[in-house]
Amino acid sequence: MTSTARHRARTALALVALTGLGAAPAGATPPQPAPAWSARTLSTATYVILDPRLEGNPNVLDAGQRAGVLGAMRRDAASAIKRRYPGATVAADPGTPGAIRVTPVLVAPGALVPWAKLSARLVFDLPGGERVSLDDSFGLLTLWQQQAEAANYIYGELIKRLP
């Protein structure tokens, strides 16, 4: 299975887990109540942004750049959630009961060359114990064009996949 096929399969599984959608065989039992993680539920949920992680080759950035990127990841992941779900709450306390815990992750490429790709992921730890991950890859040239808004762009694109 190619990397792209694995990515698409993970994304599809993540969306199925978040939305509760799935194929039911003909003659299956009648529809059940709306899934706990429907668009309506996600739009009013409480989210906590956990410490972001930089994986891959973080040495392509110096210590100051890494600190700036990690700060932008936390801030821009929260902003993307609020843009997608204006009625949602982003709490600061990781111990907030019933909150969806979100970990922003960037996987740095081996080298900073225009044709390289950076992978981004948002890991959602749901209150019921499930873990869902949305991920995608972005060309460094595209991100360079976004300049200071690169993390905002990345997480905005990922959040668009939620119901």
Side-chain angles (χ1 to χ4, degrees), residues 24-47:
T29 58
Q32 300 300 312
W37 299 107
S38 66
R40 191 175 101 208
T41 304
L42 289 171
S43 69
T44 59
T46 298
Y47 297 83

Side-chain angles (χ1 to χ4, degrees), residues 69-138:
V69 167
L70 290 169
M73 289 168 64
R74 178 187 296 271
R75 183 178 55 254
D76 293 343
S79 295
I81 289 169
K82 286 297 287 180
R83 280 192 312 277
R84 176 76 172 149
Y85 302 120
T89 302
V90 177
D93 181 6
T96 302
I100 298 171
R101 284 149 185 74
V102 182
T103 305
V105 180
L106 288 180
V107 181
L112 293 178
V113 293
W115 54 86
K117 296 234 180 227
L118 177 140
S119 296
R121 183 170 59 244
L122 286 172
V123 179
F124 295 84
D125 289 310
L126 308 176
E130 303 89 1
R131 176 172 274 186
V132 177
S133 179
L134 296 176
D135 60 286
D136 203 349
S137 294
F138 300 87

